[in-house]
Amino acid sequence: NNTPRVQRKSKAADALGKCPDDGNIIAAVACFFALERKDEKARTWFKRAATSSPRNGDIWAQWLSFEERRGQQEQINDVQTAFMEQRTPPIQGEHWVRNAIKPENARCQLSTLLQQTAQACASQKLPRLG
């Protein structure tokens, strides 16, 4: 991300001030912490984002992708377990919806869709705050 660190931090604070419960903004802040290599903070913010917007599959996928890159197997399992314990499946998220509507995925388990979406998110750059 070419935006200076201070400017990203300021934009994150502004966005959170305007929309403190928006899962996408919270996930972008988590990505900011991930870029800063503040993994515990990133993990906390991803959890907050998923709790805030549990029906957004992209947020779950970003969190899983983060854990697959930086976490331990236990943390990966924790994300997958929390995802599967939801009462209703995700119906939002650009990558999630794109994967879910593919005919070949019509009978896929949610855990498989999560993994596919995490791979799609991993191939994209982290969300930008700037």
Side-chain angles (χ1 to χ4, degrees):
N1 194 336
N2 295 331
T3 308
R5 178 186 178 276
V6 173
Q7 191 175 0
R8 285 194 313 262
K9 191 172 183 177
S10 174
K11 286 185 182 222
D14 289 347
L16 276 172
K18 292 176 184 173
C19 303
D21 297 321
D22 185 309
N24 289 316
I25 292 173
I26 297 168
V29 171
C31 290
F32 168 76
F33 285 123
L35 285 170
E36 297 286 316
R37 295 277 185 196
K38 296 179 180 178
D39 292 348
E40 286 305 314
K41 283 188 175 189
R43 193 167 283 117
T44 299
W45 283 81
F46 275 121
K47 184 175 184 175
R48 180 177 165 195
T51 301
S52 176
S53 297
R55 308 241 15 222
N56 187 325
D58 284 5
I59 291 173
W60 288 99
Q62 287 172 345
W63 185 13
L64 180 60
S65 178
F66 165 77
E67 294 297 0
E68 287 176 338
R69 285 180 281 154
R70 307 262 184 86
Q72 303 294 320
Q73 187 61 47
E74 179 181 347
Q75 292 157 324
I76 294 168
N77 292 344
D78 288 347
V79 174
Q80 293 169 330
T81 299
F83 175 79
M84 294 306 293
E85 288 176 348
Q86 294 185 99
R87 294 209 161 128
T88 55
I91 57 169
Q92 300 167 332
E94 179 184 345
H95 296 290
W96 179 267
V97 171
R98 188 178 303 138
N99 279 328
I101 64 172
K102 288 180 181 177
E104 63 268 23
N105 292 338
R107 299 200 187 279
C108 274
Q109 293 184 355
L110 288 176
S111 58
T112 302
L113 281 176
L114 177 62
Q115 188 62 49
Q116 290 174 351
T117 306
Q119 290 170 354
C121 287
S123 68
Q124 300 289 317
K125 291 188 176 194
L126 294 173
R128 295 174 56 122
L129 289 167

